[in-house]
Amino acid sequence: MEQLEIELKKQGKISRLTNKTFQFPKKLGEGFYSANYFLKSQKIVQKYRSGHHVTMQWFQRKDDVMLCGIDEAIAVLHTFAHNPQDLEIFALNDGDIVSKNEPVLKVSGKYEDFGFLESVIDGILARRSSVATNVYRVKQVVGNTSVFSMADRQDDYLTQVGDGYATYVAGIDKVSTDAQGLWWGGKGMGTMPHALIQICDGDVIKAADIYHATYPNEKVTALIDYNNDVVNDSLKLAKHLKTNLNAVRVDTSMSMIDHYFDDKDTSGFDPHGVCKELIFALRKALDDNGFNYVKIIVSSSFSAEKIKSWKQLNVPVDMYGVGTYFVNNTTCGFTGDLVILDGKNQAKEGRYDIPSSRLKKVLYPIY
């Protein structure tokens, strides 16, 4: 997907990403990923109740959710539904903020043409919207501080492409793998893992030197918690690299207490992991020694709630790395319901066709 097309879409100058953008396995159209009872229903309807015109609507049950996966769902319908040109589709847009019980997608046509894709679309909307909403919640509280997604390691690798797209829709374009940027033209970023330091026998300076020798045009961003001595190791590295040191990243495990606190009273706070007291101390030590240009990046167990708290306390962080929180897939779930049959209301008890002035008709073909 070209960056220009994404930007045009954001400006409302094109209607949708297309099924040229998304990469679907052929088996999706064969029902391999559909719940079996939908396949059985399709066969039964084809034999005994074919030709009836139905409307299916999708919604979720939480407020202040960032919608994502709509374009992908439409591409699934246009790619794998039977007679997709005969379907009437009304939809919101990726990036829209939606409320509980608000319809985000309505599809009308013959059930046997598209009904078997119901659960696939449920899953797409749930996954993409959950990731986008989690990112959106971080963006709401982080202010001008940068954030990058480290969510590549938190789930199956096959989720990276779609999760990266949802992350981008919600406003973050710093990701750790090329896969996360595939649909919007982004590239992965990052410098060194703990493994590089381990291979250098725990010598952070040696790891930084060989990194810089390999990538001489890049300033070093060093992972600095390997020896659990963040302040001292940061100062040693800053004195060695001087202006070739861009930033240090603190990634202390929640099970650890940094050696900075070995001789200090920690009774008034929890010193485990990447705590704010450690970051305040690190910033002061760097500044006091003339390294005010060295940035501080933090990662490990950061959520929107924790970031909000740190921002309120002005903890001196230049960038947050967020992983697990972004790909929590329980943020919102979607349901598809049949609500109209041959022009008349027909739905299970408690469900009904929900009117919406926000839904817009999707044209076919779209490219």
Side-chain angles (χ1 to χ4, degrees):
M1 185 65 185
E2 294 294 333
Q3 185 71 23
L4 176 60
E5 190 173 349
I6 290 283
E7 293 304 320
L8 287 173
K9 175 183 179 290
K10 283 186 170 182
Q11 298 169 28
K13 295 181 179 178
I14 60 174
S15 60
R16 300 285 165 189
L17 302 185
T18 75
N19 42 355
K20 290 182 178 180
T21 303
F22 305 102
Q23 300 173 358
F24 300 123
K26 181 180 179 181
K27 280 181 171 288
L28 195 153
E30 298 170 0
F32 185 72
Y33 295 94
S34 294
N36 190 257
Y37 57 80
F38 289 124
L39 303 180
K40 289 181 176 179
S41 293
Q42 182 189 38
K43 186 173 182 179
I44 293 168
V45 169
Q46 284 176 329
K47 188 172 182 179
Y48 294 107
R49 295 287 293 175
S50 65
H52 289 279
H53 190 274
V54 300
T55 295
M56 184 176 290
Q57 69 180 9
W58 278 265
F59 71 98
Q60 55 83 50
R61 297 173 176 84
K62 294 184 179 180
D63 287 325
D64 198 32
V65 162
M66 177 170 280
L67 180 63
C68 193
I70 285 290
D71 288 357
E72 190 177 352
I74 292 168
V76 164
L77 288 162
H78 283 165
T79 305
F80 298 113
H82 306 301
N83 306 306
Q85 71 279 359
D86 295 335
L87 298 179
E88 186 176 52
I89 300 174
F90 285 82
L92 297 182
N93 293 294
D94 286 343
D96 283 348
I97 304 301
V98 299
S99 303
K100 63 181 179 182
N101 301 323
E102 179 180 4
V104 302
L105 174 66
K106 291 190 180 187
V107 181
S108 299
K110 296 178 181 178
Y111 179 82
E112 58 268 33
D113 282 349
F114 72 94
F116 71 101
L117 296 170
E118 176 183 334
S119 62
V120 171
I121 293 173
D122 286 345
I124 289 171
L125 295 177
R127 179 77 188 194
R128 305 291 175 256
S129 297
S130 288
V131 173
T133 300
N134 297 335
V135 176
Y136 162 65
R137 289 174 181 171
V138 166
K139 288 289 289 181
Q140 283 182 306
V141 301
V142 79
N144 294 326
T145 306
S146 294
V147 181
F148 75 102
S149 172
M150 303 174 64
D152 57 290
R153 69 200 67 191
Q154 311 302 335
D155 212 330
D156 187 283
Y157 71 93
L158 292 174
T159 65
Q160 288 186 30
V161 175
D163 288 353
Y165 169 68
T167 299
Y168 180 78
V169 166
I172 289 178
D173 61 4
K174 294 179 175 65
V175 293
S176 49
T177 71
D178 290 351
Q180 291 168 287
L182 180 64
W183 285 348
W184 51 273
K187 292 291 184 180
M189 58 169 278
T191 53
M192 67 174 67
H194 291 107
L196 182 61
I197 304 170
Q198 190 269 352
I199 290 172
C200 294
D201 200 27
D203 189 336
V204 178
I205 290 178
K206 178 64 175 177
D209 279 344
I210 62 175
Y211 180 92
H212 193 55
T214 307
Y215 299 98
N217 296 323
E218 290 184 21
K219 290 189 176 184
V220 176
T221 294
L223 199 53
I224 205 65
D225 61 285
Y226 185 89
N227 298 306
N228 200 37
D229 197 7
V230 162
V231 175
N232 285 328
D233 277 357
S234 293
L235 289 176
K236 289 177 185 176
L237 188 60
K239 291 173 182 177
H240 178 73
L241 288 180
K242 298 182 173 58
T243 56
N244 283 324
L245 179 62
N246 172 60
V248 290
R249 176 161 73 90
V250 185
D251 190 55
T252 309
S253 167
M254 289 297 292
S255 65
M256 302 290 289
I257 298 176
D258 190 273
H259 289 304
Y260 173 78
F261 298 112
D262 286 352
D263 59 353
K264 295 174 178 63
D265 180 11
T266 60
S267 58
F269 62 94
D270 182 1
H272 288 84
V274 186
C275 63
K276 59 184 181 297
E277 291 79 9
L278 179 60
I279 302 307
F280 277 119
L282 174 59
R283 182 72 273 163
K284 184 177 187 305
L286 288 169
D287 291 352
D288 287 350
N289 285 273
F291 304 117
N292 60 310
Y293 56 85
V294 176
K295 297 180 175 63
I296 297 176
I297 302 171
V298 297
S299 54
S300 185
S301 303
F302 278 89
S303 65
E305 292 75 19
K306 184 173 181 178
I307 293 172
K308 180 180 180 180
S309 172
W310 280 36
K311 291 292 291 184
Q312 290 172 340
L313 295 169
N314 294 316
V315 182
V317 172
D318 296 288
M319 180 181 288
Y320 290 92
V322 183
T324 302
Y325 179 83
F326 279 168
V327 293
N328 173 9
N329 200 35
T330 63
T331 301
C332 57
F334 281 79
T335 297
D337 288 315
L338 289 175
V339 292
I340 296 178
L341 175 65
D342 296 331
K344 297 180 180 180
N345 291 329
Q346 179 57 252
K348 76 174 188 177
E349 186 72 20
R351 304 290 167 82
Y352 56 92
D353 180 40
I354 304 170
S356 171
S357 61
R358 296 217 294 163
L359 293 169
K360 303 300 180 184
K361 189 170 185 177
V362 179
L363 301 179
Y364 181 90
I366 55 175
Y367 55 91

Coordinates of all heavy atoms in Angstrom, one line a residue, residues 148 155 199 269 288 309 355 360:
F148 N 6.7 3.7 20.7 CA 6.9 2.7 19.6 C 6.3 1.4 20.0 O 6.3 1.1 21.2 CB 8.4 2.6 19.1 CG 9.3 1.9 20.1 CD1 9.7 0.6 19.8 CD2 9.8 2.5 21.2 CE1 10.5 -0.1 20.6 CE2 10.7 1.8 22.0 CZ 11.0 0.5 21.8
D155 N 2.6 -12.1 20.5 CA 1.6 -12.9 19.9 C 2.2 -13.7 18.7 O 3.4 -13.5 18.4 CB 0.4 -12.1 19.5 CG -0.9 -12.8 19.6 OD1 -0.9 -14.1 19.4 OD2 -1.9 -12.2 19.8
I199 N 26.5 -11.7 24.4 CA 27.6 -12.2 23.5 C 28.9 -11.5 23.8 O 30.0 -12.0 23.5 CB 27.1 -12.1 22.0 CG1 26.0 -13.2 21.8 CG2 28.3 -12.4 21.1 CD1 25.4 -13.1 20.4
F269 N 8.0 3.3 48.5 CA 7.6 3.1 47.1 C 8.0 1.7 46.7 O 8.8 1.0 47.4 CB 8.2 4.1 46.1 CG 9.7 4.1 46.1 CD1 10.3 3.3 45.1 CD2 10.5 4.8 47.0 CE1 11.7 3.3 45.0 CE2 11.8 4.8 46.9 CZ 12.5 4.0 45.9
D288 N 23.7 15.9 35.5 CA 24.7 16.4 36.4 C 26.1 16.2 35.8 O 27.1 16.9 36.1 CB 24.6 15.7 37.7 CG 23.5 16.2 38.6 OD1 22.8 17.2 38.1 OD2 23.2 15.6 39.6
S309 N -0.2 8.2 34.6 CA 0.3 8.5 35.9 C 1.7 9.1 35.8 O 2.0 10.1 36.5 CB 0.4 7.2 36.7 OG 1.0 7.5 38.0
P355 N -30.8 1.8 13.5 CA -30.6 2.9 12.5 C -29.3 3.6 12.8 O -28.9 3.8 13.9 CB -31.8 3.8 12.6 CG -32.3 3.5 14.0 CD -32.0 2.1 14.4
K360 N -22.0 4.8 5.7 CA -22.0 5.2 4.3 C -21.9 4.0 3.4 O -21.3 3.0 3.6 CB -20.8 6.1 4.1 CG -20.7 7.3 5.0 CD -21.9 8.2 4.8 CE -21.8 9.4 5.8 NZ -23.0 10.3 5.7

